[in-house]
Amino acid sequence: MPSNRRKFLGQSLASVAGIAATAMIPNHIFGHNLHNTSRPEEIILPTNNPSSIKESIKFSVIGLNHGHIYGMVDALLTGGGSLVAVYAREPELLQQFTKRYPKVKIAKSENEIIEDNSIQLVASAAIPVERAPIGIRVMKSGKDFMADKPGILTLEQFNEVKKVQKETKRIYSIMYSERLGNPASVKAGELVSAGAIGKVVQTIGLGPHRMRPESRPDWFFDPNMAGGILCDIGSHQCDQFLFYTNSKQADVNFSQIGNFNNTHNPEYQDFGDMSVRSPHATGYIRIDWFTPEGLGTWGDGRTFILGTEGYIEMRKYIDIAGRQGGNHLFLVNQKETKYYDCSNIYMPYGEQLVNDVVHRTETAMSQNHCFLATELALTGQKMAHKINV
C-alpha cells in the first residue's frame, strides 16, 4: 500500500511539472493556431462576360413542361442563338413562355418545327419520358438536340438514342444545370483545372430539393413518366463527379432509394443515394425532397471536391446564417484559405454549344461524357435497393 501511494504522488508531481513546463512553451509551437476561426480572405470575382459572340444559330423549342426551359433558352440566346418557334400542347404553358419571349412564333405542331430546315437545334423540357423520342426524331431530321435533365428515362431509350446519335452524327446535349448553369460550379472547374487542389480523388454531391406537391403536375409523381430520383436529379451529381474528377469511365458501387414521407404515392421516391467510382476517383451522391419551408430557397445544394493538395466546397444556392445570396465557393489548399463570391462569373455553356453546332466540335460537353453521366444515373436507378418504410 505505501508503495502505491508513493507511485501516485510521484505521477501527480510529474503531471504538475509537465503543466508548468508546457506553460513556458510558445503558443505557435504548441499548436494554438490549429483552431483559428478567423474569416478567410474574401474575393468578389468581377464580371467576365466575353467581349463578343462570334457564331449564331437558329433554334426552336418543343415541350415546356419544366421551368428549366427558361434557363436553357436564355443560355442559347446569350450564346448567340436566335429563337424561332415554340410548340407545346398546354395553352397555359405557352402563355407563360410567349409572355417572356413575345417575338417567338407558335408552331401548330411538333412536325412543323422538326421539318423546318432553317432550324439547326431544338431544345426540349417536355415531360421526361417524351424527351428521348423527341430527340431521336430531331436528330433524324438533321438537327441537334438539347434536352433538360433527365434527358433519357430508361436504358432502352438510352441504347436507341446512342444508336441514332452515332448514325446521324448529331449532337444530343443534356443541360445538367447544377453545373452548367451555376457560376460557382464554373469557377470550381477553373480552379480544379489550374491544379489548385492537386489531383481530385473524390466528390460528394448533396442535392436536396423542396417539393411543394401542390405545385407539381401529376406526371411528376409517376416514375414511369418522370424517372426515379436517381435518374432525375441524380444525373446532375453524376455529371459533376465525371467532370471534376476528369473520369472517362465509371461504375456504380451501390445505390438505394426510399419513400419516407410520401407513402400516399407508393411508387414515388423522395430519397436516394449512391456511390460511384472511376479508375482513379470515387464519388458519393445524396439527393432528397426534404428541404423544409424554413429555408430561404428551394434547396441547400452543396458540392465537395477533395484533392490531394486541398479541397473546394460550393454552397450554390444559399449560405445558411452566413453570406447573402448564392454562388459561394470556399477553397482551402496548402497555401491559403479563400472565399469566392462567384455571382458575376460568366457561364459559357450556351455559347460553347452554339459554336459546337456550327463547327461540329465538342467544347460544351463531349458526347461520351453526356451519355456516361446519364448511364450512371440510369444504372443506379435500376439496381437501387428499395428501403421499405
Side-chain angles (χ1 to χ4, degrees):
M1 194 72 169
S3 174
N4 289 339
R5 184 171 182 274
R6 284 194 297 273
K7 183 178 180 181
F8 170 76
L9 289 172
Q11 289 174 338
S12 299
L13 290 170
S15 298
V16 171
I19 293 171
T22 299
M24 293 185 288
I25 298 175
N27 282 337
H28 71 278
I29 294 176
F30 191 70
H32 175 77
N33 291 329
L34 287 177
H35 300 287
N36 189 321
T37 57
S38 61
R39 292 174 71 87
E41 178 186 356
E42 298 196 7
I43 301 171
I44 300 177
L45 295 168
T47 302
N48 64 335
N49 292 343
S51 56
S52 62
I53 302 296
K54 297 179 181 179
E55 305 293 352
S56 63
I57 63 169
K58 292 182 177 181
F59 72 96
S60 292
V61 172
I62 296 175
L64 304 172
N65 297 92
H66 198 296
H68 283 165
I69 192 62
Y70 294 101
M72 296 163 65
V73 169
D74 288 345
L76 289 169
L77 292 173
T78 301
S82 176
L83 176 59
V84 176
V86 59
Y87 172 75
R89 293 187 296 266
E90 303 84 0
E92 68 279 9
L93 297 179
L94 274 174
Q95 184 178 12
Q96 296 171 23
F97 190 83
T98 54
K99 183 176 181 181
R100 182 157 173 170
Y101 308 107
K103 295 182 180 180
V104 67
K105 173 188 174 183
I106 299 177
K108 295 181 177 65
S109 68
E110 182 180 302
N111 283 340
E112 183 179 331
I113 289 175
I114 290 179
E115 294 171 4
D116 184 347
N117 292 328
S118 71
I119 301 301
Q120 295 159 276
L121 179 141
V122 174
S124 179
I127 294 173
V129 74
E130 299 174 356
R131 293 171 190 169
I134 292 171
I136 288 169
R137 291 195 290 274
V138 167
M139 289 190 292
K140 286 183 175 180
S141 75
K143 301 173 181 59
D144 296 315
F145 186 63
M146 175 192 189
D148 183 19
K149 67 81 219 162
I152 302 170
L153 216 65
T154 67
L155 287 169
E156 291 74 22
Q157 285 187 346
F158 178 73
N159 291 330
E160 184 64 18
V161 167
K162 284 187 69 176
K163 175 176 175 289
V164 174
Q165 190 280 323
K166 185 177 181 179
E167 290 171 351
T168 62
K169 302 294 191 294
R170 308 316 302 178
I171 296 169
Y172 194 104
S173 185
I174 300 173
M175 187 174 181
Y176 303 110
S177 56
E178 289 191 21
R179 176 173 68 87
L180 299 168
N182 181 266
S185 298
V186 173
K187 182 61 181 178
E190 295 174 0
L191 291 168
V192 167
S193 180
I197 58 172
K199 180 182 177 182
V200 175
V201 297
Q202 190 204 37
T203 63
I204 298 176
L206 306 180
H209 284 60
R210 176 179 290 144
M211 182 177 289
R212 289 183 175 166
E214 69 282 357
S215 69
R216 304 286 179 176
D218 291 341
W219 59 259
F220 172 84
F221 298 98
D222 183 353
N224 293 317
M225 298 185 72
I229 193 168
L230 295 176
C231 165
D232 181 15
I233 51 181
S235 62
H236 283 304
Q237 310 300 335
C238 293
D239 161 71
Q240 291 174 89
F241 164 73
L242 294 175
F243 179 76
Y244 292 123
T245 63
N246 192 29
S247 295
K248 311 303 182 187
Q249 61 187 74
D251 298 294
V252 178
N253 290 317
F254 75 82
S255 58
Q256 51 193 359
I257 53 177
N259 184 350
F260 294 98
N261 201 39
N262 291 271
T263 52
H264 53 288
N265 292 309
E267 298 303 314
Y268 187 70
Q269 303 143 29
D270 55 22
F271 174 88
D273 70 344
M274 60 189 288
S275 169
V276 293
R277 69 174 181 269
S278 72
H280 60 269
T282 70
Y284 174 72
I285 294 163
R286 192 209 77 204
I287 44 186
D288 65 76
W289 287 98
F290 298 140
T291 294
E293 288 295 327
L295 190 72
T297 189
W298 58 265
D300 187 6
R302 300 167 72 181
T303 302
F304 301 83
I305 309 172
L306 175 65
T308 54
E309 302 297 326
Y311 62 89
I312 288 170
E313 177 186 352
M314 286 175 273
R315 303 203 70 150
K316 299 182 182 181
Y317 311 111
I318 191 169
D319 182 13
I320 57 173
R323 299 164 178 84
Q324 294 294 312
N327 304 310
H328 309 286
L329 186 151
F330 303 89
L331 167 69
V332 182
N333 60 20
Q334 306 289 7
K335 298 178 181 179
E336 58 199 358
T337 297
K338 285 185 176 181
Y339 160 76
Y340 293 89
D341 180 340
C342 302
S343 299
N344 297 322
I345 288 290
Y346 174 68
M347 295 172 288
Y349 169 69
E351 181 186 3
Q352 290 170 338
L353 184 56
V354 167
N355 289 336
D356 289 343
V357 170
V358 173
H359 298 291
R360 313 316 299 167
T361 50
E362 293 188 338
T363 61
M365 180 192 310
S366 76
Q367 193 64 72
N368 286 339
H369 174 102
C370 177
F371 284 154
L372 182 54
T374 286
E375 185 176 15
L376 286 174
L378 291 172
T379 302
Q381 185 69 53
K382 185 174 182 178
M383 65 182 279
H385 168 72
K386 190 169 184 179
I387 303 169
N388 294 316
V389 181

